[in-house]
Amino acid sequence: MDDEPLARRGLELRLARHADIEIVGEAGNGRQAFHAISALRPDLMFLDVQMPGIDGFGLLRMLPATQVPLTVFVTAYDHYATAAFAASALDYLLKPVDDARLDESVDRTRARLAARKTEDHYERLLKFIATLPGGRRSEIDALLGDEGPRADCRLTIKDGHRVLRIDVDSIRWIDAAGDYMCIHAGDETHVLRGTMQQLERRLDPQKFARIHRSTIVNLERVKEMRPHVNGEYFLLLDSGQELKLSRSYRDKIKFFT
């Protein structure tokens, strides 16, 4: 994603040397990139920091966690490096892009994708084991299943093969992606299988509210609300993230009435 057509073309030619890379799309600004990522769901994105309108960092803040591809920043300014890695960038390339450094980024991407496939394989094994007859619930499953709604100031979740205790106050928002949910707490995003209804029952309704069929927000993290079209609103969180407040949930949030 780059606002300079020549830069995009140069990167495309360099990437053509790698037979396992397929270029599925390109964009000249942040808004185009947002729609392209939502539609194409790429594994890897080369992203310019400075673009007209929405810059590279703004684009990452707009994207739901489940849609953010592995990201390599490409820019002419090295002073963005710290911010780039703070945004969990896979790598950072300076223009003009050096072939050896680009190859290094591609190798790093392959390794990261291979690790991700290993995690997916482990998750499939867990699902298969769960279907086997005759076994008792594991201690982990018992712990999760027996926790009552709003038990204390910490939320116990199973993130992959880990059991975590999350400080409820650190949760900014939760969004759903199919059969999975992403809990955005502090600087981390935790992914777990379940439904919004199940998680909603475990959260304090005085602090957490459903603002969309796939989104729950910590009301104490909301700093601003601004109107949008058709009776909808955007909520600005203390992290800078914007979330849409659906019209059908607007009247149910006492915090804003």
Side-chain angles (χ1 to χ4, degrees), residues 16 39 57 69 73 92 113 120 158 176-177 205 244-245 247 254:
F57 298 128
F73 281 105
Y92 184 92
L113 289 174
D120 291 343
K158 186 177 180 182
K244 183 181 290 187
L245 169 59
R247 180 177 56 182
K254 298 178 181 179

Side-chain angles (χ1 to χ4, degrees), residues 187-237:
D187 296 325
E188 295 184 295
T189 297
H190 306 284
V191 181
L192 68 154
R193 188 177 179 88
T195 67
M196 297 294 281
Q197 290 82 0
Q198 290 172 338
L199 189 56
E200 195 172 15
R201 287 196 296 267
R202 297 170 63 188
L203 295 170
D204 185 349
Q206 299 300 316
K207 290 185 177 181
F208 291 87
R210 194 86 166 264
I211 62 170
H212 188 275
R213 62 182 178 84
S214 60
T215 309
I216 295 173
V217 70
N218 183 344
L219 296 174
E220 294 180 353
R221 296 287 188 166
V222 177
K223 296 300 181 183
E224 181 182 330
M225 180 175 76
R226 59 182 179 83
H228 188 47
V229 296
N230 299 326
E232 296 180 334
Y233 288 80
F234 277 115
L235 305 183
L236 177 65
L237 306 190

Side-chain angles (χ1 to χ4, degrees), residues 35-46:
H35 292 298
I37 292 168
S38 299
L40 300 171
R41 300 295 181 91
D43 295 314
L44 172 65
M45 167 174 61
F46 289 89

Side-chain angles (χ1 to χ4, degrees), residues 143-152 154-156 201-203:
L143 171 66
L144 296 177
D146 292 342
E147 180 178 344
R150 302 183 290 279
D152 53 30
R154 291 185 178 273
L155 182 70
T156 303
R201 287 196 296 267
R202 297 170 63 188
L203 295 170

Side-chain angles (χ1 to χ4, degrees), residues 100-157:
R101 278 290 291 119
L102 178 61
D103 292 346
E104 183 180 324
S105 289
V106 171
D107 288 340
R108 187 172 298 180
T109 300
R110 292 188 183 105
R112 182 71 63 85
L113 289 174
R116 182 179 293 178
K117 289 178 181 178
T118 300
E119 293 171 359
D120 291 343
H121 177 65
Y122 181 83
E123 184 176 321
R124 287 196 298 270
L125 285 176
L126 289 179
K127 291 178 181 177
F128 170 71
I129 292 171
T131 65
L132 296 178
R136 294 185 305 169
R137 290 192 308 169
S138 68
E139 293 180 2
I140 290 177
D141 289 337
L143 171 66
L144 296 177
D146 292 342
E147 180 178 344
R150 302 183 290 279
D152 53 30
C153 62
R154 291 185 178 273
L155 182 70
T156 303
I157 67 167

